[in-house]
Amino acid sequence: MLADERAETEQVDREIKKLKLAQIRGEVLTLEEVTESWTTFASTVKAAVLSIPGRLRSELPHMTAHDGETAKRIAREVLTELADEVEAVVVDGDPKEITHASL
């Protein structure tokens, strides 16, 4: 019993040392690093999607005000759908759940 506990503790210690070494080597990221990277990426995607209606108007000057508002609405809907997909994956923990139906 005590030997089993000691062996388990030694195994955990080895795993911790392996993770620390991998982090020193730059092979793993901290939660903070991942969060910061994904936050930056999400902000970039959001800005790009929200810029589409304005870019359309400059490329297609014949667009009506209604067309422009429709483009804005669709851009916001796409962002909402993407956010819902990401939330489902984070909550469910299964990346295979992403449907890409809205893409």
Side-chain angles (χ1 to χ4, degrees):
M1 185 80 131
L2 186 57
D4 290 340
E5 289 177 12
R6 184 172 292 135
E8 185 177 335
T9 299
E10 289 173 1
Q11 176 64 29
V12 169
D13 288 342
R14 281 193 298 275
E15 289 177 25
I16 289 170
K17 287 177 183 178
K18 284 180 185 179
L19 282 172
K20 285 182 180 180
L21 180 58
Q23 187 175 11
I24 290 168
R25 290 180 173 160
E27 298 169 350
V28 295
L29 299 172
T30 65
L31 179 59
E32 182 179 324
E33 291 168 324
V34 172
T35 300
E36 182 180 327
S37 294
W38 274 105
T39 300
T40 301
F41 176 75
S43 295
T44 302
V45 169
K46 180 180 178 182
V49 171
L50 291 176
S51 76
I52 292 171
R55 293 175 71 180
L56 282 171
R57 280 192 296 276
S58 69
E59 293 285 324
L60 305 169
H62 62 278
M63 283 180 62
T64 65
H66 175 73
D67 294 339
E69 289 304 312
T70 300
K72 284 182 189 178
R73 180 183 50 78
I74 290 171
R76 287 190 304 271
E77 287 174 0
V78 166
L79 288 171
T80 300
E81 290 166 4
L82 285 171
D84 291 345
E85 294 277 350
V86 169
E87 184 177 343
V89 170
V90 171
V91 171
D92 295 339
D94 186 359
K96 295 175 187 169
E97 294 294 316
I98 295 180
T99 63
H100 302 293
S102 61
L103 302 179

